[in-house]
């Protein structure tokens, strides 16, 4: 239902039909609903971050490095190390979470936005909020992208931005590099940029789309430290792109958008990346055993390359199952796909609590 705004407040027309992003934040023992890393930072990493921040505290009277040069160079090294690429600071932009990255992209570039749904709900919300038309192209029944209909939609609709999330949230599967390249080429035919949202890339064994940027300069890869890096509370997202795209970010960013404390914390975290990413393999293994447990209970699970699982096969309405789980102290996510629910992979004990609860309620 549309909100009735007071007449004395001339809200932007773009916003009238929107509802705010709002994953429930309910205080229950097992919170498996927003795809965070369930493991807190290791003590030695906490110490390193505190030390890094403490060197900045005396200088908080001054604005931070507007261009976050040191942090961007560390992010470039991280990507190069993982993907065998040779990006430099000029290929990287960083912001307060990848949602800010996505918003900056939506603000900087012309045209409608097109995405393959179901996918990340913030893509249409951000695009509509800045006045773009959102074109939704349905995924196939197995939630993969149909390349032919993707290419056809891009050439008919001629959007300015094309979004692909891989691994896809909330469904979990990856889009192959070959498909991404085909979609990027179709986008280039109509001068569209292609945003590849890789928020969950570290949980996947697939090669990153950053490896395509040299061939396809219209690809922007969006990444975040919120998920695999266990850094959701710190708010650090970034993009890897052609330097011309990064130049456009300099126009749209607010001056000094990334606080000195955030830059220092993220730099320290990246310097300890093995410790930070240490739990990723453990989470991926838990995802696979959780998948098997759910299958044993008779549920159908969509194969996932991320730290969450979409599943179905309930004897009741999904919303009813969701509510019963909350009553048993387990919060998962109703992502709005009929008959499906999404679970974020938790710690071993959280996963056990989930399995116990779900076998009671459904
Ligand atoms: C979680 C998520 C993000 C953004 O998270 P930030 O915390 O803003 O970095 C972006 N894209 C997808 C697909 C996500 O699931």
């Amino acid at each position: 239902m549309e909100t009735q705004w007071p007449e004395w407040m001339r809200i932007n027309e773009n916003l009238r039909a929107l509802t705010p992003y709002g994953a429930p934040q309910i205080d229950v023992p097992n919170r498996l609903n927003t795809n965070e890393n369930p493991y807190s930072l290791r003590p030695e990493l906490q110490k390193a971050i505190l030390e890094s921040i403490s060197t900045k505290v005396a200088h908080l009277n001054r604005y931070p490095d507007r261009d976050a040069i040191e942090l961007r160079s560390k992010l470039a090294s991280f990507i190069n190390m993982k993907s065998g690429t040779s990006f430099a600071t000029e290929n990287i932009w960083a912001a307060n979470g990848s949602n800010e990255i996505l918003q900056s992209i939506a603000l900087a570039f012309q045209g409608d936005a097109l995405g393959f749904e179901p996918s990340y709900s913030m893509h249409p919300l951000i695009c509509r909020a800045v006045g773009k038309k959102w074109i939704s192209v349905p995924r196939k029944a197995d939630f993969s992208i149909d390349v032919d209909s993707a290419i056809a939609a891009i050439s008919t609709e001629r959007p300015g931005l094309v979004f692909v999330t891989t691994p896809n949230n909330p469904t979990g599967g990856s889009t192959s590099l070959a498909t991404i390249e085909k979609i990027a080429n179709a986008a280039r035919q109509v001068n569209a940029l292609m945003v590849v949202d890789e928020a969950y890339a570290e949980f996947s064994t697939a090669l990153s789309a950053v490896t395509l940027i040299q061939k396809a300069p219209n690809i922007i890869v969006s990444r975040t430290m919120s998920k695999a890096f266990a850094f959701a509370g710190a708010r650090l997202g970034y993009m890897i792109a052609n330097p011309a795209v990064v130049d456009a970010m300099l126009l749209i960013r607010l001056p000094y958008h990334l606080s000195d404390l955030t830059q220092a914390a993220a730099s320290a975290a990246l310097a300890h990346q093995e410790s930070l990413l240490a739990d990723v393999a453990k989470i991926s293994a838990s995802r696979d055993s959780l998948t098997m447990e759910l299958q044993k209970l008779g549920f159908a699970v969509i194969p996932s390359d991320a730290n969450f699982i979409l599943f179905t096969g309930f004897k009741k309405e999904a919303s009813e199952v969701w509510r019963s789980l909350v009553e048993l102290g387990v919060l998962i996510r109703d992502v709005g796909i009929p008959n499906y629910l999404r679970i974020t992979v938790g710690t071993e004990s959280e996963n056990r609590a989930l399995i116990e609860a779900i076998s009671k309620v459904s």
Side-chain angles (χ1 to χ4, degrees):
M1 217 191 53
E2 251 181 50
T3 311
Q4 291 305 308
W5 299 97
E7 251 170 72
W8 47 262
M9 209 177 82
R10 291 197 293 165
I11 186 124
N12 266 338
E13 286 303 325
N14 308 331
L15 302 182
R16 278 195 194 278
L18 303 184
T19 39
Y21 176 85
Q25 290 190 307
I26 306 175
D27 194 11
V28 293
N30 305 286
R31 289 187 297 170
L32 304 175
N33 74 326
T34 44
N35 296 349
E36 291 133 316
N37 190 316
Y39 299 104
S40 53
L41 306 186
R42 285 172 163 57
E44 68 275 11
L45 180 54
Q46 294 182 26
K47 196 160 156 263
I49 291 172
L50 282 174
E51 275 164 13
S52 176
I53 287 175
S54 71
T55 64
K56 305 290 180 186
V57 172
H59 312 290
L60 286 179
N61 56 315
R62 297 289 180 189
Y63 282 118
D65 174 6
R66 220 171 22 223
D67 296 329
I69 299 291
E70 185 191 331
L71 175 59
R72 284 161 65 207
S73 127
K74 289 198 165 118
L75 289 165
S77 306
F78 169 70
I79 290 295
N80 292 338
M81 196 255 306
K82 291 280 176 194
S83 296
T85 43
S86 50
F87 294 111
T89 310
E90 59 176 12
N91 297 101
I92 310 284
W93 188 242
N96 297 283
S98 57
N99 278 302
E100 187 178 69
I101 294 282
L102 298 171
Q103 186 186 52
S104 302
I105 293 169
L107 284 167
F109 301 108
Q110 291 184 21
D112 299 336
L114 180 150
F116 306 96
E117 294 190 310
S119 189
Y120 186 45
S121 61
M122 284 307 296
H123 295 156
L125 184 52
I126 287 171
C127 290
R128 286 183 174 132
V130 305
K132 290 188 179 302
K133 179 177 151 198
W134 177 258
I135 301 152
S136 179
V137 178
R139 287 174 176 252
K140 294 196 278 193
D142 66 357
F143 301 121
S144 65
I145 294 176
D146 182 85
V147 191
D148 294 332
S149 71
I151 293 171
I154 291 167
S155 67
T156 335
E157 301 283 351
R158 307 182 72 81
L161 290 175
V162 176
F163 288 84
V164 170
T165 311
T166 182
N168 188 42
N169 179 11
T171 56
S174 297
T175 300
S176 73
L177 273 196
T179 298
I180 291 175
E181 192 172 359
K182 284 183 195 151
I183 296 173
N185 289 338
R188 201 169 173 194
Q189 297 280 313
V190 297
N191 291 338
L193 290 167
M194 176 177 182
V195 179
V196 184
D197 187 335
E198 290 190 354
Y200 301 94
E202 291 86 356
F203 296 103
S204 162
T205 51
L207 208 57
S208 164
V210 298
T211 55
L212 297 173
I213 291 174
Q214 210 172 16
K215 273 191 284 184
N218 60 326
I219 290 181
I220 305 173
V221 176
S222 164
R223 289 285 196 99
T224 179
M225 290 178 72
S226 294
K227 311 287 166 54
F229 279 95
F231 222 52
R235 312 302 303 129
L236 201 289
Y238 57 105
M239 65 150 78
I240 305 95
N242 185 281
V245 175
V246 175
D247 286 345
M249 295 299 104
L250 294 173
L251 297 173
I252 214 70
R253 64 105 186 272
L254 298 174
Y256 316 108
H257 67 298
L258 206 52
S259 97
D260 227 359
L261 302 178
T262 305
Q263 293 186 39
S267 280
L270 281 168
H272 292 73
Q273 50 192 250
E274 318 76 53
S275 156
L276 205 54
L277 290 170
D279 295 316
V280 167
K282 190 156 78 179
I283 294 167
S284 300
S286 300
R287 170 196 65 210
D288 297 340
S289 50
L290 200 52
T291 299
M292 284 196 309
E293 301 255 11
L294 289 168
Q295 286 168 337
K296 262 193 260 166
L297 290 173
F299 297 109
V301 181
I302 305 295
S304 170
D305 282 336
N307 66 334
F308 54 83
I309 293 169
L310 190 74
F311 71 121
T312 187
F314 313 113
K315 296 184 194 82
K316 318 174 199 165
E317 289 283 314
S319 57
E320 230 179 288
V321 175
W322 181 87
R323 222 170 304 116
S324 309
L325 287 175
V326 172
E327 278 158 24
L328 293 172
V330 182
L331 176 61
I332 66 170
R333 189 75 168 270
D334 184 349
V335 290
I337 306 176
N339 305 319
Y340 281 88
L341 290 170
R342 192 192 70 189
I343 307 168
T344 303
V345 178
T347 61
E348 295 296 316
S349 85
E350 287 169 333
N351 298 338
R352 266 198 308 278
L354 176 271
I355 289 294
E356 216 169 281
I358 193 95
S359 45
K360 275 187 208 145
V361 304
S362 142

